[in-house]
């Protein structure tokens, strides 16, 4: 059994990177490996937006990540500075920055790049999408 | 401690990939990881002196590349094939980096635990 950390850099829609990341994660889990953490960086932070509303016959990646996280108890972490620059904020940042709305909600958490690096250090393999 | 190789392959102008890759490289080094850096393809343009990213709406993150050494990132390689394509010579470099052959780069990759491409 190996420990994986997954880094998602691709946007939630417009490239297939995030979808492939999800499928890869499901696949390693089904093979009995452990996925400790999904780290969303660059345009990947858009995956955490609660405001994603795909058509009813399309894939809802935001929801798929949430389902995966709760089923397998995996941390979903946004790089906070990448997220803030792209208009993805949590309730706490909305308060701190005097914004009337927020769009990132549980179980997505805001974190620092340090969580990516410590995740890499404690995992056997980092896989980026 | 892991050996992490960060590869830059995008131009400094036109997207934010390198800025975020640089943040990752510096942070990894400050978390005591052993970091090496490779510039290839259009990313060799990061080495060009006297650029003004502010003119295209970016923060001047290019000068931060000079900090790689301060963070104990000693292996900073520039793909010599890519440099040649863009007419860049070592004398033109804005910060300390060395021209490297494909074989040199392959060696660094082989020694790395993780390779991250920006």
């Amino acid at each position: 059994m190996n420990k994986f950390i997954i880094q998602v850099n691709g946007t939630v829609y417009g490239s297939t990177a995030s979808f492939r990341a999800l499928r890869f994660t499901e696949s390693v889990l089904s093979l009995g490996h452990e996925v400790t953490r999904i780290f969303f960086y660059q345009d990947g932070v858009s995956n955490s937006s609660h405001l994603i509303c795909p058509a009813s016959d399309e894939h809802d990646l935001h929801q798929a990540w949430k389902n995966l996280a709760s089923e397998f108890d995996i941390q979903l972490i946004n790089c906070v500075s990448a997220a803030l620059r792209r208009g993805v904020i949590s309730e706490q940042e909305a308060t701190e920055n005097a914004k009337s709305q927020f769009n990132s909600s549980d179980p997505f958490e805001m974190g620092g790049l340090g969580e990516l690096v410590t995740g890499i250090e404690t995992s056997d393999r980092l896989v980026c999408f | 401690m892991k050996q992490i190789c960060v590869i830059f392959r995008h131009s400094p102008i036109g997207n934010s990939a390198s800025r975020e890759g640089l943040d990752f490289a510096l942070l990894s080094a400050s978390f005591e990881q052993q970091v090496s850096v490779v510039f290839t393809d259009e990313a060799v343009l990061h080495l060009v002196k006297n650029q003004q990213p502010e003119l295209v709406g970016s923060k001047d993150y290019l000068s931060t590349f000079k900090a790689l050494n301060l963070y104990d990132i000693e292996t900073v390689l520039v793909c010599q094939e890519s440099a040649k394509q863009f007419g860049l010579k070592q004398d033109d470099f804005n910060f300390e980096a060395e021209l490297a052959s494909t074989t040199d780069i392959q060696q660094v990759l082989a020694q790395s635990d993780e390779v991250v491409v920006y």
Side-chain angles (χ1 to χ4, degrees):
Chain A
M1 192 195 81
N2 282 306
K3 266 179 149 177
F4 285 83
I5 173 165
I6 312 291
Q7 185 181 343
V8 182
N9 295 331
T11 176
V12 66
Y13 182 75
S15 102
T16 57
S18 302
F19 182 76
R20 284 183 281 117
L22 178 76
R23 280 286 181 265
F24 179 83
T25 307
E26 289 168 344
S27 179
V28 293
L29 289 167
S30 73
L31 291 168
H33 299 295
E34 185 186 346
V35 175
T36 51
R37 192 174 282 177
I38 316 273
F39 192 87
F40 298 90
Y41 194 36
Q42 300 190 286
D43 290 344
V45 296
S46 63
N47 283 273
S48 71
S49 174
H50 186 62
L51 302 179
I52 302 297
C53 299
S56 57
D57 59 347
E58 290 175 14
H59 209 81
D60 187 342
L61 265 176
H62 171 77
Q63 191 58 48
W65 286 121
K66 285 175 88 146
N67 296 347
L68 186 89
S70 65
E71 187 179 346
F72 295 95
D73 194 23
I74 300 172
Q75 279 186 305
L76 304 178
I77 299 186
N78 268 333
C79 170
V80 63
S81 46
L84 288 173
R85 289 190 185 107
R86 290 169 174 84
V88 173
I89 64 173
S90 66
E91 190 169 13
Q92 188 189 334
E93 279 105 33
T95 310
E96 286 168 8
N97 294 282
K99 303 283 183 189
S100 56
Q101 276 93 32
F102 61 94
N103 55 345
S104 174
S105 49
D106 292 342
F108 287 92
E109 311 165 41
M110 294 292 176
L113 270 175
E115 299 195 49
L116 172 60
V117 179
T118 55
I120 291 171
E121 197 171 21
T122 52
S123 301
D124 299 305
R125 185 56 73 201
L126 163 73
V127 185
C128 303
F129 291 88
Chain B
M1 197 263 289
K2 286 210 173 185
Q3 305 220 16
I4 299 176
C5 178
V6 183
I7 300 184
F8 292 93
R9 55 183 302 268
H10 284 100
S11 156
I13 306 294
N15 66 74
S16 60
S18 305
R19 195 234 162 125
E20 287 169 318
L22 176 63
D23 285 348
F24 172 74
L26 297 181
L27 195 111
S28 300
S30 68
F31 272 61
E32 313 283 314
Q33 308 302 306
Q34 193 170 339
V35 179
S36 54
V37 168
V38 176
F39 294 90
T40 185
D41 298 334
E42 291 182 353
V44 298
L45 295 171
H46 286 91
L47 279 302
V48 175
K49 285 177 190 160
N50 300 324
Q51 298 188 62
Q52 293 175 273
E54 298 95 332
L55 295 179
V56 289
S58 297
K59 186 184 157 184
D60 181 16
Y61 71 94
L62 290 176
S63 50
T64 314
F65 279 99
K66 290 177 185 161
L68 289 173
N69 278 357
L70 294 175
Y71 281 76
D72 290 330
I73 301 177
E74 284 158 7
T75 306
V76 181
L77 305 181
V78 180
C79 169
Q80 65 185 19
E81 284 303 311
S82 303
K84 194 173 161 193
Q85 283 169 7
F86 286 92
L88 265 173
K89 297 191 181 67
Q90 187 132 19
D91 297 345
D92 303 327
F93 291 175
N94 186 33
F95 51 91
E96 212 170 305
E98 61 180 293
L99 285 169
S101 67
T102 316
T103 319
D104 299 332
I105 295 171
Q106 279 170 346
Q107 270 177 8
V108 170
L109 298 184
Q111 287 161 6
S112 302
D113 297 308
E114 306 294 350
V115 178
V116 192
V117 184
Y118 286 96

